[in-house]
């Protein structure tokens, strides 16, 4: 079953994302010294192998969803850049994907240049699986998130147990672009 969000649901999601972003942006700006800079022509993309990917668990909830900053810290020893959306999905302990991958939201894409040791983020929303009828959700507990940094084919698993929907087509995760807001 493919989930199409109504205009009202999209507005609620957008308002929740903006509210969460506004509340968390001052701390994120201090933690992201590389954010907002355009990369030099020779700045390579950040490879997954050079990134520490982690979840800031100080989330903010709204409308049955909780939003978190998914953090990307460059530990490669050199400057690199990120551009676009991370790929995000819930996974089991064995790494098997649970249900559908995250839906993308937001359309403000920007290149984020990360010096070695610098951090940027993407906003990730997790729907409270308890607000979805069990027959439509098939609730299970995810052991974490599989994260593909933007434009990369290798992933990292971020450990963070949460209620997830195993039903195919049910969207319970949302991912925004890196560097937003």
């Amino acid at each position: 079953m493919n989930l199409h969000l109504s205009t009202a649901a999209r507005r609620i999601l957008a308002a929740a994302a903006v509210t969460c972003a506004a509340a968390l942006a001052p701390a994120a700006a201090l933690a992201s010294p590389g954010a907002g800079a355009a990369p030099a022509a020779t700045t390579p993309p950040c490879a997954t192998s050079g990134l520490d990917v982690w979840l800031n668990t100080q989330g903010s909830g709204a409308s049955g969803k909780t939003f978190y900053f998914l953090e990307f810290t460059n530990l490669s020893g050199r400057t690199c850049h990120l551009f676009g959306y991370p790929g995000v999905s819930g996974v089991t302990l064995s790494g098997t994907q649970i249900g559908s991958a995250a839906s993308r939201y937001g359309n403000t894409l920007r290149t984020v240049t990360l010096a070695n040791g610098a951090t940027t983020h993407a906003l990730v929303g997790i729907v409270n699986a308890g607000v979805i009828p069990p027959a439509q959700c098939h609730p299970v507990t995810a052991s974490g998130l599989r994260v593909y940094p933007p434009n990369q084919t290798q992933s990292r698993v971020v450990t963070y147990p949460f209620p997830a929907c195993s039903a195919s087509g049910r969207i319970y995760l949302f991912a925004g672009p890196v560097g937003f807001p």
Side-chain angles (χ1 to χ4, degrees), residues 65-86:
K65 298 169 197 67
T66 303
F67 291 88
Y68 302 92
F69 277 125
L70 182 61
E71 307 285 355
F72 298 87
T73 301
N74 177 13
L75 299 177
S76 69
R78 62 189 171 94
T79 299
C80 61
H81 75 269
L82 293 171
F83 177 81
Y85 295 88

Side-chain angles (χ1 to χ4, degrees), residues 26-93:
L30 292 174
S32 303
T42 59
T43 304
C46 297
T48 303
S49 60
L51 292 171
D52 184 20
V53 181
W54 51 284
L55 189 68
N56 180 336
T57 58
Q58 299 299 313
S60 181
S63 303
K65 298 169 197 67
T66 303
F67 291 88
Y68 302 92
F69 277 125
L70 182 61
E71 307 285 355
F72 298 87
T73 301
N74 177 13
L75 299 177
S76 69
R78 62 189 171 94
T79 299
C80 61
H81 75 269
L82 293 171
F83 177 81
Y85 295 88
V88 179
S89 59
V91 293
T92 64
L93 277 174

Side-chain angles (χ1 to χ4, degrees), residues 94-142:
S94 65
T96 302
Q97 182 172 321
I98 297 172
S100 298
S103 178
R104 294 177 174 178
Y105 73 89
N107 58 6
T108 303
L109 300 181
R110 56 188 257 194
T111 300
V112 179
T113 300
L114 292 174
N116 188 50
T119 299
T120 191
H121 62 267
L123 199 60
V124 172
I126 301 176
V127 174
N128 177 352
V131 301
I132 301 170
Q136 295 176 13
C137 175
H138 304 168
V140 297
T141 300

